[in-house]
């Protein structure tokens, strides 16, 4: 009896201790996840404020340091948590919003504490945080110091000054911390005062005892080069309220059931995650290729008599958007495209992203004529998004085919729609093509030329430059032009020409060349208003890098490009070569 009693007592003690420890560790693991998630939310709250300062920085850079309507720009950036926006060219505050009644410029360079932060931000060339600090007109706040550098067109940057944006604390993250508190957690939020601070200060706390937590779970993140730490523990501490009789009688059963339930839920969560990854596109929220094909197969197999029209749509010149504006702008265009197609097609349509910029739509319960009208209407609409204050316009192309009138099954339906889309691309893009048998014989190699191959194959020197008399910035030059001017490579060409069209024209010819080109353009604009492009022809002399003077013939064409505005496409040929061909000295191709 004694031995059994001691063994049972020891078993109960061990079981209670193990369950208590197990539960506490599980709670800490869950609170660690909560702490990390809310730390990411806090980071996003502060990043939103930094994004506003960077938006104002971009406006200053775009205006080359002469922002004409600062008040309007600042007013658009003001929110409940943004209390003050200031411009400080060369470290001297000259403009602020809202503007105080008696405004006098403040030289930040005379404030030793601020000067250290300003110098650090200037050296790093990135926004930094400073605070919390107390400003009489604002109260407790955090200052975002964003250095501004202006480019001179040659790759060099010149320091302009600072954008200073002040946000109230805790207003900037009040909603996030309030939500954390509503879940039953106590918290402390601390940070370094500046990137150069060695210690942290308490920024915000849910406690009234100076922010003392017994055994918190913490997560740190860096924003604005300051280190922030969120510490969290359950309100009332880490407690497990199990009863001894319940533990004695049910510990084995409960442990087994809980373990089984945990494994079951974990497995179901993993299956759900894998299913979502396999059948849903993460960027657009549309079906993935696998999900689209599965649903289309089910539609045709379960309703073989119901007509289906499948349309492949892609974004015209998607690579240009990525190259000119960045991949984030390309992602925004794809998201916009997905939403637009969801709004444009019937609710029972099957829509999935089947490739990089390619979305496939399967329209059911509609006649081929109705589907054709619907698709044509969608393609006819010009699309646009706004990215970083800039409007980006683009168009869509489509190819479509019908089941069962043209295709016998899903695979053939998809192939025919893809061939129709290829025909639309060959035809000039921004159009919809209904599949026709001849499209199967179009060779896809016609779209396989790279820009490098096209530029190399142009017979003669070729360049593209902006049709702006004030700058005439060169956007592109092929190898023939680089070699004509005696340059070693494109970098050497950039240094020699400073990327300006006028720079390599013989000085005595420049004024006449400029006058001749624009006189021809203006003459055509008056007499041929309906033309999509204007042309010019001019003869002059160019000066090579080593000082040689070469007479040339220049044939140019002025067009409007949606990304660069008005630009000139120019072919330049040596006059001696042209004279030789015209006199029969050179008869080769």
């Amino acid at each position: 009896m004694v031995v059994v009693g001691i063994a049972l007592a020891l078993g109960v003690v061990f079981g209670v201790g193990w369950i208590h420890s197990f539960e506490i560790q599980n709670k800490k693991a869950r609170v660690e996840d909560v702490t990390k998630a809310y730390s990411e939310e806090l980071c996003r709250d502060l990043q939103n404020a930094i994004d506003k300062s960077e938006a104002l920085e971009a406006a200053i850079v775009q205006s080359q340091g002469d922002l004409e309507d600062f008040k309007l720009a600042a007013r658009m950036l003001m929110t409940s948590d943004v209390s003050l926006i200031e411009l400080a060219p060369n470290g001297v505050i000259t403009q602020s919003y809202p503007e105080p009644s008696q405004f006098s410029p403040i030289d930040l360079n005379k404030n030793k504490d601020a000067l250290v932060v300003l110098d650090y931000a200037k050296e790093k060339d990135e926004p930094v945080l400073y605070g919390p600090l107390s400003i009489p007109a604002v109260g407790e706040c955090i200052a975002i110091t964003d250095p501004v550098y202006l480019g001179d067109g040659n790759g060099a940057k010149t320091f302009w000054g600072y954008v200073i944006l002040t946000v109230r604390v805790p207003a900037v993250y009040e909603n996030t911390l309030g939500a954390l508190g509503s879940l039953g957690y106590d918290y402390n939020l601390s940070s370094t005062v500046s990137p150069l601070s060695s210690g942290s200060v308490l920024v915000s706390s849910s406690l009234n005892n100076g922010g003392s937590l017994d055994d918190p779970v913490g997560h740190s993140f860096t924003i604005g080069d300051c280190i922030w730490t969120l510490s969290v523990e359950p309100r009332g501490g880490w407690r497990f309220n199990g009863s001894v009789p319940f533990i004695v009688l049910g510990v084995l059963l409960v442990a087994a059931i809980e373990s089984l339930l945990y494994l079951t839920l974990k497995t179901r969560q993993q299956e759900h995650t894998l299913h979502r990854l396999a059948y849903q596109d993460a960027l657009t929220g549309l079906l993935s290729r696998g999900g689209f094909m599965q649903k289309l197969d089910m539609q045709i197999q379960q309703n073989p008599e119901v007509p289906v029209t499948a349309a492949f749509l892609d974004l015209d010149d998607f690579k240009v958007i990525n190259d000119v504006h960045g991949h984030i702008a390309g992602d925004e265009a794809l998201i916009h495209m997905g939403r637009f197609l969801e709004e444009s097609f019937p609710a029972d349509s099957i829509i999935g992203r089947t490739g990089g910029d390619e979305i496939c739509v399967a329209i059911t319960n509609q006649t081929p004529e109705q589907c054709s009208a619907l698709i044509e209407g969608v393609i006819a609409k010009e699309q646009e998004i706004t990215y970083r204050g800039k409007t980006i316009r683009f168009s869509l192309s489509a190819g479509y085919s019908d089941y069962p009138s043209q295709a016998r099954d899903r695979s053939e339906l998809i192939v025919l729609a893809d061939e129709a889309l290829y025909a639309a691309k060959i035809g000039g893009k921004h159009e919809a093509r209904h599949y026709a048998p001849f499209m199967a014989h179009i060779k896809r190699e016609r779209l396989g030329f790279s820009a490098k191959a096209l530029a190399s194959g142009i017979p003669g020197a070729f360049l593209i430059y902006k049709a702006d008399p004030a700058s005439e910035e060169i956007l592109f030059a092929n190898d023939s032009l680089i070699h004509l001017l005696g340059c070693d490579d494109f970098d050497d060409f950039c240094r020699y020409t400073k990327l300006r069209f006028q720079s390599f024209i013989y000085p005595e010819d420049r004024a006449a060349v400029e006058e001749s080109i624009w006189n021809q353009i203006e003459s055509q604009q008056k007499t041929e208003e309906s033309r999509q492009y204007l042309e010019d022809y001019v003869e002059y002399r160019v000066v090579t890098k080593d000082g040689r003077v070469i007479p040339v013939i220049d044939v140019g064409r002025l067009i409007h490009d949606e990304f660069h505005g008005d630009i000139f496409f120019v072919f330049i040929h040596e006059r001696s070569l042209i004279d030789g061909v015209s006199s029969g000295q050179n008869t080769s191709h």
Side-chain angles (χ1 to χ4, degrees):
M1 294 290 293
V2 173
V3 172
V4 172
I6 292 174
L8 182 58
L10 291 175
V12 170
V13 171
F14 174 79
V16 170
W18 182 85
I19 291 174
H20 183 269
S21 176
F22 178 79
E23 289 296 326
I24 293 301
Q25 290 304 318
N26 276 350
K27 282 188 176 183
K28 285 192 174 183
R30 290 193 291 270
V31 174
E32 284 177 357
D33 292 339
V34 170
T35 304
K36 183 178 180 181
Y38 277 85
S39 294
E40 292 172 353
E41 285 296 322
L42 289 170
C43 187
R44 277 192 285 269
D45 292 339
L46 295 169
Q47 185 60 49
N48 287 338
I50 292 176
D51 290 344
K52 294 173 184 178
S53 72
E54 290 180 333
L56 189 55
E57 175 195 358
I60 295 172
V61 172
Q62 187 174 8
S63 64
Q64 284 296 303
D66 187 18
L67 186 61
E68 295 182 357
D69 199 343
F70 163 72
K71 290 184 179 179
L72 175 60
R75 190 182 305 121
M76 295 175 65
L77 297 173
M78 291 292 287
T79 54
S80 59
D81 55 322
V82 177
S83 58
L84 185 63
I85 301 176
E86 300 170 310
L87 297 186
N90 296 315
V92 179
I93 298 176
T94 58
Q95 297 186 75
S96 67
Y97 186 88
E99 185 176 346
S101 56
Q102 297 295 327
F103 180 83
S104 60
I106 301 173
D107 189 352
L108 297 176
N109 291 298
K110 295 181 180 180
N111 185 320
K112 293 183 178 179
D113 293 336
L115 183 59
V116 174
V117 177
L118 293 175
D119 288 341
Y120 179 88
K122 179 180 178 181
E123 180 181 350
K124 297 284 285 187
D125 189 16
E126 62 184 24
V128 300
L129 298 182
Y130 180 43
L133 54 113
S134 181
I135 298 178
V138 177
E140 288 295 315
C141 62
I142 294 173
I144 300 171
T145 303
D146 192 352
V148 181
Y149 283 84
L150 304 180
D152 61 2
N154 294 321
K157 295 194 300 184
T158 303
F159 177 68
W160 176 86
Y162 303 93
V163 171
I164 303 174
L165 189 144
T166 305
V167 293
R168 296 186 182 91
V169 293
V172 65
Y173 42 68
E174 190 171 32
N175 291 337
T176 299
L177 292 180
L180 182 61
S182 68
L183 294 177
Y185 295 105
D186 285 327
Y187 60 84
N188 285 338
L189 179 63
S190 59
S191 78
T192 54
V193 176
S194 76
L196 303 175
S197 301
S198 57
S200 298
V201 298
L202 184 65
V203 178
S204 185
S205 176
S206 63
L207 304 174
N208 297 322
N209 60 354
S212 177
L213 296 173
D214 295 329
D215 185 17
V217 171
H219 184 80
S220 297
F221 59 95
T222 301
I223 183 79
D225 271 16
C226 287
I227 300 174
W228 293 69
T229 301
L230 177 63
S231 301
V232 176
E233 74 176 11
R235 194 170 292 134
W238 305 100
R239 293 184 299 180
F240 174 61
N241 298 320
S243 64
V244 174
F246 174 79
I247 293 174
V248 171
L249 297 174
V251 62
L252 297 177
L253 180 61
V254 171
I257 293 175
E258 285 295 312
S259 298
L260 180 61
L261 180 61
Y262 173 80
L263 292 174
T264 302
L265 293 175
K266 192 69 176 178
T267 301
R268 289 183 60 186
Q269 182 184 26
Q270 291 174 344
E271 290 176 350
H272 175 75
T273 301
L274 291 174
H275 184 275
R276 179 175 55 82
L277 292 174
Y279 295 103
Q280 184 180 32
D281 178 59
L283 177 64
T284 62
L286 302 174
L287 293 171
S288 66
R289 182 179 182 86
F292 174 83
M293 297 303 178
Q294 183 188 58
K295 291 198 70 172
L296 183 55
D297 278 338
M298 291 176 58
Q299 168 65 32
I300 293 177
Q301 291 171 6
Q302 296 175 5
N303 307 282
E305 75 288 349
V306 175
V308 178
T309 294
F312 268 117
L313 304 98
D314 79 352
L315 195 154
D316 295 333
D317 300 317
F318 180 63
K319 185 178 185 301
V320 177
I321 295 177
N322 279 335
D323 291 346
V324 175
H325 301 284
H327 287 276
I328 296 179
D331 289 346
E332 291 294 329
L334 289 175
I335 293 170
H336 169 86
M337 179 180 173
R339 291 174 181 168
F340 169 70
L341 296 180
E342 285 184 313
E343 295 170 356
S344 301
F345 288 103
D348 60 351
S349 300
I350 306 170
I351 306 178
R353 183 184 177 194
T354 54
D357 63 326
E358 191 172 78
I359 293 178
C360 195
V361 179
I363 310 169
T364 61
N365 297 306
Q366 302 274 347
T367 66
E369 292 74 20
Q370 291 172 322
C371 293
S372 178
L374 187 59
I375 296 168
E376 294 281 353
V378 167
I379 296 304
K381 295 179 181 178
E382 288 280 356
Q383 307 296 317
E384 68 175 41
I385 61 170
T386 301
Y387 178 69
R388 292 185 176 178
K390 195 169 192 177
T391 298
I392 303 173
R393 295 182 175 84
F394 57 91
S395 60
L396 307 178
S397 295
Y400 58 100
S401 60
D402 304 316
Y403 166 88
S405 60
Q406 292 182 314
R408 294 165 293 181
D409 53 30
R410 186 266 294 170
S411 297
E412 188 175 9
L413 180 66
I414 293 299
V415 169
L416 300 185
D418 183 56
E419 291 179 351
L421 174 60
Y422 175 73
K425 292 179 180 179
I426 289 293
K429 304 180 181 180
H430 194 198
E431 63 176 328
R433 288 288 187 91
H434 191 197
Y435 176 77
F438 75 89
M439 295 177 181
H441 304 292
I442 300 176
K443 292 186 177 180
R444 291 181 175 267
E445 288 81 358
R446 297 185 184 182
L447 289 180
F449 292 106
S450 66
K452 181 178 181 180
L454 291 173
S456 300
I458 293 174
F462 174 73
L463 78 154
I464 304 172
Y465 70 91
K466 287 187 177 181
D468 178 7
S471 69
E472 295 187 333
E473 178 187 357
I474 296 175
L475 303 175
F476 176 82
N478 69 351
D479 290 342
S480 296
L481 179 61
I482 293 172
H483 296 152
L484 175 64
L485 297 180
C487 298
D488 298 328
D489 50 33
F490 186 74
D491 290 339
D492 193 27
F493 172 82
C494 293
R495 288 189 292 269
Y496 173 60
T497 64
K498 296 181 175 57
L499 290 180
R500 293 196 61 192
F501 170 62
Q502 285 281 333
S503 64
F504 59 80
I505 299 177
Y506 191 70
E508 294 181 5
D509 295 351
R510 290 175 183 172
V513 169
E514 193 76 15
E515 181 180 4
S516 175
I517 291 174
W518 287 107
N519 283 344
Q520 293 177 62
I521 296 301
E522 291 172 2
S523 174
Q524 293 172 62
Q525 286 174 332
K526 293 178 181 179
T527 59
E528 303 179 56
E529 296 180 357
S530 61
R531 288 189 61 174
Q532 295 182 347
Y533 56 82
L534 305 171
E535 297 179 329
D536 68 83
Y537 173 91
V538 63
E539 299 182 20
Y540 52 88
R541 292 167 290 179
V542 298
V543 182
T544 66
K545 177 185 172 183
D546 56 9
R548 292 179 294 115
V549 178
I550 302 175
V552 297
I553 294 175
D554 173 319
V555 179
R557 174 173 288 182
L558 175 66
I559 67 168
H560 182 77
D561 179 79
E562 59 180 317
F563 295 105
H564 299 289
D566 289 340
I567 56 177
F568 275 109
F569 283 69
V570 179
F571 286 90
I572 298 177
H573 296 278
E574 292 186 51
R575 181 58 187 264
S576 60
L577 295 178
I578 299 298
D579 292 341
V581 171
S582 62
S583 62
Q585 295 175 9
N586 186 352
T587 59
S588 63
H589 180 62

